[in-house]
């Protein structure tokens, strides 16, 4: 194994013809910071034109998770400096701008990009794994886009994927922020393959052997290896499949209020979603619902561009800071949202968030 770059928080190596990226902040659930984003971006741009690198493989260190998302504590500090007039908004937004650029690089990467998720995989963690061409989940993977819980919106290009899911599952995930399992991800198409977390060496060895076969193309070679890890979900453990009809019906409305009212009549994961929506940011849910419904925002490039506009407007507001405060600063878990009810938020306000 040839090490080409290493620092404490991300390890970037070459293993034969495979470029390997390991997120290495296990105590912080591998949450992404700006240094990590920049290191990954530099490696990917170098490997793009390196004829010796034929595929990229990304994983996370530690047992607890692939990546819990972006380092929101860092943004909280930068955002508060902006609110105090100490820095410009553009300076406070550097993290999001470079994160979204990396999401786009991964989505459009010309060489096979494989992400191997395990444990907690949320928010910004899905931005670097969910935008990969080939997505593997360990059976302990827990996925969520929990932004409505912290006064934000499903970003990192995730809305492109959420819009593509059948039975309004994408809207269910966006409004509730609740977790789903590896089997759920395989069922609804957020991942294609399943392999144990400790199978990295086995997969990498298979990739090296397959990619050495010059008779096959790079993608064909990767697929030939990953197809060994393509398994059917265990239907008895797949909650999304069991509840697909109810989700499709409950989350069919364009009104968040109607969705919450319909969800209140159900138990199970719909009931759990109802309880979450009662305490999530009303503004976040209204904007997420509008984003999901917008017919003019379908392509990944349109969505990642819109993500930055929305993020900047959230940075100008109040709920995102209050959500971060309650979740990870004071940790009282009791955010006081600027608008306490959905009825207080006009559609003009919602629409203004989509405007640069």
């Amino acid at each position: 194994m040839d090490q080409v770059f290493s620092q404490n928080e991300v390890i970037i190596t070459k293993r034969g013809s495979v470029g390997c990226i390991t997120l290495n902040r296990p105590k912080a659930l591998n949450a992404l910071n700006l240094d990590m984003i920049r290191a990954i971006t530099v490696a990917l741009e170098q490997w793009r034109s390196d004829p010796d690198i034929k595929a990229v493989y990304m994983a996370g260190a530690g047992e607890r998770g692939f990546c819990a998302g972006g380092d929101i504590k860092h943004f909280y500090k930068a955002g508060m400096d902006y609110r105090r007039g100490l820095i410009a908004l553009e300076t406070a937004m550097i993290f999001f701008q470079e994160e979204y650029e990396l999401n786009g690089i991964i989505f459009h990467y010309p060489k096979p990009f494989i992400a191997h998720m395990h444990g907690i995989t949320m928010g910004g963690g899905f931005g670097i794994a969910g935008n990969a061409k080939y997505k593997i989940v360990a059976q302990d993977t827990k996925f969520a886009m929990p932004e409505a819980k912290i006064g934000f919106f499903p970003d990192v290009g995730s809305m492109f994927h959420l819009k593509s899911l059948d039975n309004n599952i994408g809207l269910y995930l966006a409004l509730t922020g609740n977790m789903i399992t590896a089997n759920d991800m395989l069922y609804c198409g957020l991942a294609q393959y399943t392999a144990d977390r400790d199978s990295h060496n086995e997969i990498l060895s298979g990739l090296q052997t397959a990619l050495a076969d010059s008779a096959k193309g790079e993608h064909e070679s990767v697929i030939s290896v990953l197809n060994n890890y393509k398994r059917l979900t265990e239907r008895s453990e797949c909650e999304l499949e069991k509840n697909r009809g109810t989700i499709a019906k409950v989350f069919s409305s364009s009104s968040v209020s109607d969705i919450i009212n319909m969800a209140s009549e159900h138990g199970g994961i719909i009931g759990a979603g109802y309880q979450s929506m009662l305490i999530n940011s009303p503004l976040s849910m209204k904007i997420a619902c509008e984003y999901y419904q917008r017919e003019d925002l379908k392509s990944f490039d349109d969505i990642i561009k819109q993500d930055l506009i929305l993020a900047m407007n959230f940075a100008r507001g109040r709920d995102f800071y209050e959500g971060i405060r309650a979740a990870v600063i004071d940790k009282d878990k009791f955010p006081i949202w600027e608008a306490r009810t959905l009825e207080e938020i006009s559609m003009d306000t919602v629409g203004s968030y989509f405007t640069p």
Side-chain angles (χ1 to χ4, degrees):
M1 181 182 292
D2 299 320
Q3 186 163 295
V4 295
F5 183 88
S6 176
Q7 63 180 43
N8 289 335
E9 296 173 337
V10 61
I11 300 170
I12 297 172
T13 60
K14 290 181 179 179
R15 183 155 170 174
S17 58
V18 182
C20 300
I21 300 171
T22 303
L23 309 179
N24 193 35
R25 293 183 71 200
K27 290 183 179 179
L29 289 172
N30 296 320
L32 293 170
N33 59 34
L34 191 56
D35 286 341
M36 295 168 72
I37 288 168
R38 287 174 172 173
I40 295 167
T41 300
V42 168
L44 292 178
E45 292 300 347
Q46 289 176 346
W47 289 341
R48 183 192 296 271
S49 58
D50 186 343
D52 294 331
I53 295 297
K54 297 182 178 179
V56 176
Y57 179 88
M58 178 182 284
E63 297 182 359
R64 297 167 61 203
F66 170 79
C67 178
D71 189 344
I72 55 176
K73 281 186 178 180
H74 173 82
F75 170 75
Y76 183 84
K77 181 180 182 302
M80 291 304 289
D81 284 346
Y82 154 69
R83 288 166 68 88
R84 296 185 185 105
L86 300 177
I87 61 174
L89 178 60
E90 289 74 17
T91 303
M93 295 300 297
I94 286 173
F95 173 85
F96 288 103
Q97 181 177 340
E98 296 195 23
E99 181 186 26
Y100 298 165
E101 288 173 357
L102 175 58
N103 300 149
I105 289 170
I106 292 172
F107 184 87
H108 291 295
Y109 207 64
K111 297 180 180 182
F113 194 113
I114 305 129
H116 193 161
M117 296 171 262
H118 78 277
I120 300 299
T121 303
M122 301 192 302
F126 187 73
I128 54 175
N131 288 316
K133 177 73 172 178
Y134 305 102
K135 296 175 275 289
I136 307 171
V137 285
Q139 279 297 313
D140 69 345
T141 304
K142 301 291 185 183
F143 162 78
M145 292 304 295
E147 286 75 15
K149 297 178 184 293
I150 58 167
F152 202 44
F153 71 99
D155 64 335
V156 296
S158 65
M159 193 57 75
F160 172 80
H161 305 282
L162 297 179
K163 284 173 176 274
S164 72
L165 304 185
D166 293 334
N167 300 310
N168 296 317
I169 288 172
L171 187 56
Y172 161 79
L173 294 171
L175 294 186
T176 67
N178 286 2
M179 284 190 177
I180 60 173
T181 67
N183 280 345
D184 291 319
M185 294 180 74
L186 290 163
Y187 162 69
C188 69
L190 291 172
Q192 309 110 312
Y193 310 96
T194 178
D196 294 337
R197 178 177 59 84
D198 57 6
S199 62
H200 299 319
N201 287 334
E202 175 186 294
I203 294 172
L204 284 167
S205 294
L207 290 171
Q208 285 179 271
T209 300
L211 289 165
D213 183 357
S214 60
K216 291 183 179 180
E218 294 169 351
H219 288 275
E220 183 183 359
S221 297
V222 166
I223 291 170
S224 71
V225 174
L226 296 184
N227 276 342
N228 295 319
Y229 302 93
K230 194 168 187 176
R231 304 171 192 164
L232 293 174
T233 62
E234 298 177 28
R235 290 173 181 262
S236 61
E237 298 180 8
C238 185
E239 291 297 324
L240 288 184
E241 184 178 21
K242 289 193 293 185
N243 291 275
R244 65 187 185 278
T246 307
I247 293 172
K249 181 178 179 181
V250 170
F251 289 82
S252 62
S253 176
S254 60
S255 164
V256 179
S257 295
D258 289 347
I259 290 171
I260 291 175
N261 288 335
M262 286 189 284
S264 69
E265 302 172 2
H266 299 274
I269 64 169
I270 311 299
Y274 166 71
Q275 294 298 328
S276 293
M277 289 186 287
L278 289 180
I279 59 176
N280 289 346
S281 161
L283 176 64
S284 293
M285 290 190 293
K286 271 206 163 183
I287 287 173
C289 189
E290 172 68 13
Y291 203 177
Y292 182 85
Q293 304 286 350
R294 288 281 291 265
E295 290 292 328
D296 59 325
L297 295 169
K298 288 186 176 181
S299 75
F300 177 85
D301 290 339
D302 285 344
I303 284 171
I304 204 70
K305 181 179 178 181
Q306 183 65 67
D307 280 354
L308 186 59
I309 294 170
L310 285 166
M312 293 185 76
N313 285 324
F314 270 94
R316 292 185 175 99
R318 177 183 174 278
D319 272 11
F320 191 22
Y321 301 98
E322 174 62 9
I324 296 173
R325 180 205 63 77
V328 299
I329 305 299
D330 297 335
K331 299 182 180 180
D332 58 34
K333 311 299 181 185
F334 189 72
I336 300 174
W337 306 121
E338 185 169 13
R340 305 293 185 90
T341 67
L342 292 162
E343 289 69 29
E344 294 175 51
I345 305 163
S346 70
M347 288 309 298
D348 285 343
T349 298
V350 171
S352 71
Y353 272 71
F354 289 85
T355 303

